[in-house]
Amino acid sequence: MKGVVCGTLMALGILCADAQEHGAEEALLKLQVETRIDYQRHWLDGTTVKDNTGFEGKYLNIRADGNITDNLSYSWRQRLNKGHDDRTFFDATDWVYLNYNIDRWSLAGGKQVVAIGGWEYDRAPIDLYGCSVFWNNIPCYQIGASAGYHFSNADKLTFQFCESPFFNSENRDVYAYNLMWNGNHGWFKSIYSVNLIEYAPGRYINYIALGNRFSFEKVALELDVMNRASRHQAFFFKDMSVMGEISYRPTEKWNLFGKVTYDVNKTKTNADMCVLPGTELKMVGGGIEFTPLVNRNHLLRFHANLFYSWGKNANDADLMQNKTTIVDIGVKWNMNLLSFKR
């Protein structure tokens, strides 16, 4: 039995190596596992929160990507440590979709990332540490369809129709309509969106999300500004979030970063289900990343960071509250299991 297992693993290794020689663009299947384990300490107004202090497995994901034809591709990511039951297995599926390219057009369908602008929102959760109140409460993966058009090599406009992030088991007949612009113009990159999201039958909240990224050699600045509004409320600045992160990479292996976030909701409506009315919370922090191993098969990264928040968060279930301190040290590991070429 041991010889059979070893022989099978050797055969898979040969197939993987053969596929990798021909490049990822020809892969029929590329299967990866990614995990992150942290040691965290949590203080609330100087008192240790014992049930949130200690070692924790943050993420354990399996991901498969591939190209069935030159135009037809697929992607699937499953979060193995996320709770679900037999009837809602998709709860633990971040995404699973098909994408078809026709000249400048791309058409996709399945479970997708809801097309909301902003760099904090766009980045993989496994690569984030301290995050805004909005980020911590938005259900960002939903079933739907999208159509994108490349106006140029640098600009893409995408329209998406999907389930509302705020549907519930009693009423799934609510939807979101999203229009997003992705731009890539050298030192400036953008992820902008306007979103009309049904939070209850026939009742909508509107997002304007402006994600900006400025790159200057070894320094990068990401600045997101989001405004949220619904009927019968002042449109600008009453309900909004601002997220800013600056990073410095002295070498490819090291990254130092600092981050601030500000979430506020001074409205008296129940339209915003992410940042509740009465919230005005600030957060500041930073950290360091060290990546000693990066190649096409594996990634190994160590990180350490510290964040502090103050103000009012109307959602008592959130991690970051008034006078909250989080210290986090951990490791992320990505491993390619196998790959087959077409």
Side-chain angles (χ1 to χ4, degrees):
M1 178 63 69
K2 183 177 179 181
V4 172
V5 172
C6 291
T8 302
L9 291 174
M10 184 178 294
L12 286 174
I14 293 171
L15 287 170
C16 293
D18 180 65
Q20 288 160 3
E21 288 177 0
H22 291 82
E25 70 278 358
E26 296 184 7
L28 177 64
L29 169 65
K30 183 178 180 181
L31 185 64
Q32 306 171 77
V33 169
E34 53 186 19
T35 186
R36 177 177 150 191
I37 299 174
D38 291 10
Y39 177 78
Q40 177 177 284
R41 294 203 66 86
H42 179 188
W43 294 275
L44 182 60
D45 197 10
T47 302
T48 300
V49 181
K50 294 184 178 180
D51 62 356
N52 197 38
T53 294
F55 288 102
E56 181 180 1
K58 291 280 189 179
Y59 296 95
L60 178 59
N61 305 331
I62 186 169
R63 177 170 175 170
D65 301 272
N67 292 272
I68 301 171
T69 69
D70 289 343
N71 296 323
L72 182 63
S73 61
Y74 67 90
S75 185
W76 166 52
R77 189 173 80 188
Q78 192 76 19
R79 200 174 301 186
L80 300 181
N81 64 325
K82 185 176 181 180
H84 62 83
D85 60 44
D86 291 340
R87 292 173 298 173
T88 58
F89 183 74
F90 266 25
D91 286 352
T93 304
D94 284 346
W95 65 69
V96 55
Y97 63 85
L98 289 170
N99 184 82
Y100 190 75
N101 294 320
I102 311 172
D103 296 325
R104 291 180 175 269
W105 288 93
S106 61
L107 306 174
K111 190 170 187 182
Q112 305 173 314
V113 180
V114 180
I116 298 173
W119 287 93
E120 181 190 62
Y121 177 88
D122 183 70
R123 290 166 62 182
I126 200 170
D127 294 324
L128 290 169
Y129 311 109
C131 291
S132 64
V133 176
F134 174 81
W135 184 94
N136 276 290
N137 290 284
I138 181 69
C140 56
Y141 306 107
Q142 302 298 336
I143 298 173
S146 60
Y149 182 75
H150 289 269
F151 286 92
S152 67
N153 293 333
D155 297 284
K156 180 182 179 182
L157 195 64
T158 302
F159 173 74
Q160 182 188 64
F161 169 66
C162 65
E163 287 181 312
S164 170
F166 308 118
F167 76 84
N168 56 52
S169 58
E170 297 177 355
N171 187 4
R172 303 184 67 93
D173 193 25
V174 286
Y175 303 97
Y177 308 86
N178 311 304
L179 185 65
M180 187 165 70
W181 167 50
N182 293 84
N184 186 350
H185 297 273
W187 59 273
F188 171 67
K189 296 180 176 65
S190 62
I191 309 177
Y192 288 8
S193 76
V194 290
N195 310 87
L196 188 63
I197 300 176
E198 200 171 8
Y199 66 92
R203 303 177 70 182
Y204 294 87
I205 186 169
N206 171 264
Y207 296 169
I208 299 176
L210 308 177
N212 307 275
R213 190 175 197 275
F214 308 93
S215 301
F216 310 97
E217 297 182 353
K218 297 180 180 182
V219 178
L221 172 64
E222 295 177 357
L223 179 61
D224 301 334
V225 180
M226 168 182 278
N227 192 86
R228 299 174 293 271
S230 63
R231 192 176 178 184
H232 304 308
Q233 75 175 68
F235 195 85
F236 291 106
F237 310 123
K238 291 288 186 179
D239 184 5
M240 64 179 300
S241 297
V242 179
M243 311 82 154
E245 180 173 325
I246 187 167
S247 61
Y248 172 64
R249 290 187 175 273
T251 70
E252 292 184 0
K253 294 184 177 182
W254 291 94
N255 180 44
L256 292 83
F257 66 91
K259 183 174 181 178
V260 297
T261 67
Y262 174 68
D263 296 271
V264 63
N265 184 347
K266 295 183 178 180
T267 71
K268 297 182 180 180
T269 75
N270 63 348
D272 191 346
M273 302 178 73
C274 295
V275 181
L276 301 183
T279 294
E280 187 170 7
L281 191 75
K282 286 81 68 178
M283 185 180 70
V284 63
I288 187 170
E289 295 176 327
F290 174 57
T291 311
L293 175 63
V294 181
N295 58 42
R296 64 169 58 189
N297 296 319
H298 305 284
L299 179 145
L300 179 64
R301 185 192 69 203
F302 299 95
H303 59 263
N305 54 85
L306 167 68
F307 284 89
Y308 178 77
S309 63
W310 70 100
K312 169 67 175 176
N313 189 345
N315 186 347
D316 294 335
D318 278 358
L319 176 67
M320 304 307 289
Q321 300 290 334
N322 184 40
K323 299 181 181 179
T324 296
T325 303
I326 297 288
V327 174
D328 179 83
I329 302 171
V331 59
K332 172 192 171 184
W333 178 39
N334 288 10
M335 179 178 66
N336 287 353
L337 295 181
L338 57 88
S339 180
F340 299 104
K341 75 180 185 71
R342 285 194 283 124

